[in-house]
PDB file of all heavy atoms in Angstrom:
ATOM      1  N   PHE A 147     201.757  54.113 160.163  1.00  0.00           N
ATOM      2  CA  PHE A 147     200.684  54.881 160.789  1.00  0.00           C
ATOM      3  C   PHE A 147     200.798  54.957 162.303  1.00  0.00           C
ATOM      4  O   PHE A 147     199.943  55.528 162.964  1.00  0.00           O
ATOM      5  CB  PHE A 147     199.328  54.299 160.386  1.00  0.00           C
ATOM      6  CG  PHE A 147     199.068  54.424 158.915  1.00  0.00           C
ATOM      7  CD1 PHE A 147     199.063  53.302 158.105  1.00  0.00           C
ATOM      8  CD2 PHE A 147     198.855  55.660 158.340  1.00  0.00           C
ATOM      9  CE1 PHE A 147     198.842  53.420 156.748  1.00  0.00           C
ATOM     10  CE2 PHE A 147     198.630  55.791 156.985  1.00  0.00           C
ATOM     11  CZ  PHE A 147     198.627  54.671 156.187  1.00  0.00           C
ATOM     12  N   GLY A 148     201.853  54.339 162.859  1.00  0.00           N
ATOM     13  CA  GLY A 148     202.113  54.519 164.270  1.00  0.00           C
ATOM     14  C   GLY A 148     201.134  53.829 165.186  1.00  0.00           C
ATOM     15  O   GLY A 148     200.941  54.274 166.311  1.00  0.00           O
ATOM     16  N   PHE A 149     200.489  52.709 164.717  1.00  0.00           N
ATOM     17  CA  PHE A 149     199.583  52.025 165.631  1.00  0.00           C
ATOM     18  C   PHE A 149     200.203  50.769 166.213  1.00  0.00           C
ATOM     19  O   PHE A 149     199.531  49.898 166.722  1.00  0.00           O
ATOM     20  CB  PHE A 149     198.244  51.685 164.955  1.00  0.00           C
ATOM     21  CG  PHE A 149     198.355  50.926 163.654  1.00  0.00           C
ATOM     22  CD1 PHE A 149     198.557  49.542 163.636  1.00  0.00           C
ATOM     23  CD2 PHE A 149     198.234  51.604 162.461  1.00  0.00           C
ATOM     24  CE1 PHE A 149     198.626  48.856 162.448  1.00  0.00           C
ATOM     25  CE2 PHE A 149     198.307  50.918 161.254  1.00  0.00           C
ATOM     26  CZ  PHE A 149     198.505  49.551 161.255  1.00  0.00           C
ATOM     27  N   ASP A 150     201.562  50.698 166.129  1.00  0.00           N
ATOM     28  CA  ASP A 150     202.233  49.620 166.837  1.00  0.00           C
ATOM     29  C   ASP A 150     202.422  50.056 168.279  1.00  0.00           C
ATOM     30  O   ASP A 150     202.110  51.164 168.681  1.00  0.00           O
ATOM     31  CB  ASP A 150     203.575  49.252 166.175  1.00  0.00           C
ATOM     32  CG  ASP A 150     204.484  50.455 165.995  1.00  0.00           C
ATOM     33  OD1 ASP A 150     204.016  51.581 166.254  1.00  0.00           O
ATOM     34  OD2 ASP A 150     205.649  50.264 165.602  1.00  0.00           O
ATOM     35  N   ASP A 151     202.983  49.178 169.097  1.00  0.00           N
ATOM     36  CA  ASP A 151     203.093  49.456 170.522  1.00  0.00           C
ATOM     37  C   ASP A 151     204.377  50.185 170.886  1.00  0.00           C
ATOM     38  O   ASP A 151     204.606  50.511 172.035  1.00  0.00           O
ATOM     39  CB  ASP A 151     203.038  48.138 171.326  1.00  0.00           C
ATOM     40  CG  ASP A 151     201.693  47.451 171.164  1.00  0.00           C
ATOM     41  OD1 ASP A 151     200.694  48.171 170.973  1.00  0.00           O
ATOM     42  OD2 ASP A 151     201.659  46.196 171.223  1.00  0.00           O
ATOM     43  N   GLU A 152     205.244  50.429 169.906  1.00  0.00           N
ATOM     44  CA  GLU A 152     206.546  51.010 170.197  1.00  0.00           C
ATOM     45  C   GLU A 152     206.477  52.531 170.122  1.00  0.00           C
ATOM     46  O   GLU A 152     206.271  53.113 169.067  1.00  0.00           O
ATOM     47  CB  GLU A 152     207.579  50.493 169.185  1.00  0.00           C
ATOM     48  CG  GLU A 152     209.003  50.936 169.466  1.00  0.00           C
ATOM     49  CD  GLU A 152     209.487  50.479 170.817  1.00  0.00           C
ATOM     50  OE1 GLU A 152     209.614  49.271 171.043  1.00  0.00           O
ATOM     51  OE2 GLU A 152     209.736  51.363 171.665  1.00  0.00           O
ATOM     52  N   ASP A 153     206.624  53.204 171.266  1.00  0.00           N
ATOM     53  CA  ASP A 153     206.573  54.659 171.315  1.00  0.00           C
ATOM     54  C   ASP A 153     207.959  55.272 171.493  1.00  0.00           C
ATOM     55  O   ASP A 153     208.138  56.477 171.390  1.00  0.00           O
ATOM     56  CB  ASP A 153     205.675  55.131 172.460  1.00  0.00           C
ATOM     57  CG  ASP A 153     204.220  54.705 172.239  1.00  0.00           C
ATOM     58  OD1 ASP A 153     203.786  54.705 171.077  1.00  0.00           O
ATOM     59  OD2 ASP A 153     203.557  54.380 173.234  1.00  0.00           O
ATOM     60  N   GLU A 154     208.937  54.452 171.768  1.00  0.00           N
ATOM     61  CA  GLU A 154     210.266  54.951 172.073  1.00  0.00           C
ATOM     62  C   GLU A 154     210.938  55.469 170.807  1.00  0.00           C
ATOM     63  O   GLU A 154     210.933  54.835 169.762  1.00  0.00           O
ATOM     64  CB  GLU A 154     211.092  53.810 172.668  1.00  0.00           C
ATOM     65  CG  GLU A 154     212.474  54.233 173.130  1.00  0.00           C
ATOM     66  CD  GLU A 154     213.226  53.066 173.746  1.00  0.00           C
ATOM     67  OE1 GLU A 154     212.567  52.095 174.142  1.00  0.00           O
ATOM     68  OE2 GLU A 154     214.469  53.148 173.823  1.00  0.00           O
ATOM     69  N   GLU A 155     211.536  56.660 170.912  1.00  0.00           N
ATOM     70  CA  GLU A 155     212.232  57.219 169.774  1.00  0.00           C
ATOM     71  C   GLU A 155     213.522  56.445 169.509  1.00  0.00           C
ATOM     72  O   GLU A 155     214.194  55.983 170.424  1.00  0.00           O
ATOM     73  CB  GLU A 155     212.556  58.695 170.019  1.00  0.00           C
ATOM     74  CG  GLU A 155     211.324  59.580 170.048  1.00  0.00           C
ATOM     75  CD  GLU A 155     211.695  61.044 170.104  1.00  0.00           C
ATOM     76  OE1 GLU A 155     212.898  61.364 169.999  1.00  0.00           O
ATOM     77  OE2 GLU A 155     210.784  61.863 170.265  1.00  0.00           O
ATOM     78  N   ILE A 156     213.872  56.346 168.215  1.00  0.00           N
ATOM     79  CA  ILE A 156     215.055  55.594 167.820  1.00  0.00           C
ATOM     80  C   ILE A 156     216.181  56.553 167.489  1.00  0.00           C
ATOM     81  O   ILE A 156     216.009  57.498 166.720  1.00  0.00           O
ATOM     82  CB  ILE A 156     214.759  54.707 166.591  1.00  0.00           C
ATOM     83  CG1 ILE A 156     213.675  53.693 166.936  1.00  0.00           C
ATOM     84  CG2 ILE A 156     216.004  53.999 166.115  1.00  0.00           C
ATOM     85  CD1 ILE A 156     213.229  52.869 165.747  1.00  0.00           C
ATOM     86  N   ASP A 157     217.348  56.350 168.073  1.00  0.00           N
ATOM     87  CA  ASP A 157     218.541  57.097 167.713  1.00  0.00           C
ATOM     88  C   ASP A 157     219.157  56.413 166.498  1.00  0.00           C
ATOM     89  O   ASP A 157     219.575  55.260 166.565  1.00  0.00           O
ATOM     90  CB  ASP A 157     219.533  57.099 168.885  1.00  0.00           C
ATOM     91  CG  ASP A 157     220.734  57.997 168.617  1.00  0.00           C
ATOM     92  OD1 ASP A 157     221.055  58.225 167.436  1.00  0.00           O
ATOM     93  OD2 ASP A 157     221.350  58.445 169.595  1.00  0.00           O
ATOM     94  N   ILE A 158     219.198  57.132 165.363  1.00  0.00           N
ATOM     95  CA  ILE A 158     219.679  56.539 164.118  1.00  0.00           C
ATOM     96  C   ILE A 158     221.084  55.985 164.276  1.00  0.00           C
ATOM     97  O   ILE A 158     221.411  54.902 163.788  1.00  0.00           O
ATOM     98  CB  ILE A 158     219.650  57.579 162.983  1.00  0.00           C
ATOM     99  CG1 ILE A 158     218.210  58.035 162.726  1.00  0.00           C
ATOM    100  CG2 ILE A 158     220.237  57.003 161.710  1.00  0.00           C
ATOM    101  CD1 ILE A 158     217.282  56.928 162.307  1.00  0.00           C
TER     102      ILE A 158
END
Side-chain angles (χ1 to χ4, degrees):
F147 296 110
F149 53 81
D150 53 353
D151 296 330
E152 185 60 65
D153 296 324
E154 184 178 340
E155 292 188 6
I156 298 174
D157 186 335
I158 298 299

